[in-house]
Structure formats: C-alpha cells, structure tokens
Amino acid sequence: MKIVIAGGHGKVALRLTRRLAERGDSVVGIVRNPRHVDDIRKAGGEAVVLDLERATVDEVAAALAGADAVVFSAGSGNSATAARRDKMDRAAVVLVMDAAEQAGVRRFLHVSSINVGCADERGIGEGYSVYLRAKHAAEQHIFARTGLDWTVLRPGVLTDGDGDGTVELTVGNRVGPKRARFDQVAREDVAAVLVALLDRPDTAGRVYVVVGGGTPIDEAIVV
C-alpha cells in the first residue's frame, strides 16, 4: 500500500512510518518544516513539504496522488493559540478530506483524542478544552462525509514507552464520553493499532477508543 500521513513528523506518525516501511509499504509524510525531511527518511518514508494551514486543496491532492489511504495525525501543539488550534485541528482536517476526495483516495484514518465530545469538562484546562472543541468540530465534518471510508481513532493520554503490543480497544460513539478520561496508552501501540485499522477496511465508519490494556492488537479489532 501507499500511505500518506498528514503531520508526518509527529511522534505517532514517525512510529507509524517505521512500522509501515518495515513491512514494505510506501509512506509519504506531509511536513511543514523542511528540517524534518531527514527524520521522515530515517524512518523509511519520503516527505512532502507542505503547510496545511496555507495549502490549497489542489496542492494537498497532488501530495495524495496514487495513495491507497491517508492518515491525519497532525496537531496544533500544546502551546497553540485558539486560532491555530482551529486551523490545524479542524480546518486542516477538512482540507485533507477535500483533497482525498479530489485525488480519489477513499480510505481516511483520523487520530483524534479520547475526550473529544466530553460532556463534563471538569478537570480539563482551558487550552485542552479549546483543542477538544476543535477536534470535535473536525469529527462532525468527518461523520458527514459519504465519499470517504473513514475511521476515527481516539487514543488516551499518549506516552513514549516501547509499547506492549496489547491494548484495550473499544467501539466508541459519536457523542463522546460523559466524563473526562486520562487512561494512558503508548504511542508505539497507537501506531500499531493504526496499521491494523489500515488492514481492516471493514472498520470504516467506526469510532474507536484505545488505551493501554491486555488484548493483543490483532485480536482487539472489533467491528
């Protein structure tokens, strides 16, 4: 397969690139900073330098040409302003989906957050709340798409451990949790789950929540 990753220099994205490249897939990472190109190549992928806050649909569609799937794993960063969160965590998602449809790429995986749509935001800081609202708006756009075979993955609090190869993966709903959750999950395991979802087209139209757990990833995928 040829996979394009929006936000290719992210910590999950680089792990995903390495996993896909090691098994023989072709991976292209979209990055904003030219200095990140070498890191993509070291992970086994190729890079396209493109700023998703300023790019056109045509430019992104050109980067997606010939792809079998696109993974949106970009993010605004912890210190982003509300305006930038809206641009990266909502508007850029819509941009990439528009480009995928234009390029004829139906499979679309979106890396979201466990607390998107949370009804009770007690214990959530203002910055995180703004981020979650932008992500929630992005998900609403995703759910409305009929031209894409989308899957949304909502990971818990991300950690940098090696990963266990086991998780707790549950089918979520489009509304979100009643209360905020702070269960942890290793970025390495999130990358492995994304690989498994790419291999399972029958997971399209589903929302999944992933946290650390004891079930082998291949066995954890349910539809």
Side-chain angles (χ1 to χ4, degrees):
M1 288 192 294
K2 178 181 178 180
I3 313 299
V4 178
I5 305 174
H9 194 257
K11 292 181 178 181
V12 170
L14 287 172
R15 289 168 168 81
L16 175 59
T17 297
R18 177 180 52 78
R19 284 178 170 272
L20 291 171
E22 284 177 351
R23 71 175 198 172
D25 289 324
S26 172
V27 187
V28 177
I30 297 176
V31 296
R32 180 172 57 112
N33 191 333
R35 290 178 294 181
H36 293 161
V37 170
D38 283 346
D39 291 335
I40 304 291
R41 289 175 177 165
K42 288 176 183 177
E46 295 297 326
V48 171
V49 179
L50 199 59
D51 187 346
L52 294 177
E53 294 182 55
R54 298 177 175 82
T56 66
V57 172
D58 288 345
E59 289 171 333
V60 180
L64 303 183
D68 297 290
V70 57
V71 178
F72 191 97
S73 189
S76 55
N78 292 333
S79 60
T81 63
R84 183 156 196 270
R85 290 193 189 282
D86 182 70
K87 286 182 179 179
M88 277 305 303
D89 300 319
R90 183 198 60 81
V93 179
V94 177
L95 171 70
V96 174
M97 287 193 296
D98 289 344
E101 289 187 342
Q102 181 171 310
V105 183
R106 289 194 59 92
R107 193 73 172 105
F108 180 84
L109 272 62
H110 178 64
V111 182
S112 189
S113 170
I114 191 172
N115 288 317
V116 166
C118 181
D120 184 352
E121 292 191 352
R122 284 178 294 183
I124 294 179
E126 178 59 25
Y128 186 36
S129 179
V130 172
Y131 164 79
L132 291 175
R133 288 195 291 269
K135 281 285 194 183
H136 182 260
E139 286 194 7
Q140 300 312 300
H141 286 289
I142 293 170
F143 300 153
R145 292 282 171 145
T146 58
L148 296 175
D149 297 327
W150 55 262
T151 302
V152 172
L153 182 64
R154 296 175 178 166
V157 178
L158 298 168
T159 66
D160 286 328
D162 291 336
D164 301 316
T166 61
V167 296
E168 177 187 310
L169 186 71
T170 55
V171 178
N173 59 56
R174 298 186 183 189
V175 177
K178 292 181 179 179
R179 295 181 179 84
R181 294 178 57 184
F182 300 98
D183 314 60
Q184 294 185 342
V185 62
R187 288 180 171 90
E188 193 67 53
D189 287 333
V190 174
V193 170
L194 288 168
V195 172
L197 291 173
L198 285 167
D199 289 341
R200 292 285 301 271
D202 57 344
T203 60
R206 297 282 187 172
V207 177
Y208 291 95
V209 176
V210 61
V211 297
T215 304
I217 289 169
D218 286 344
E219 298 176 16
I221 303 293
V222 294
V223 293

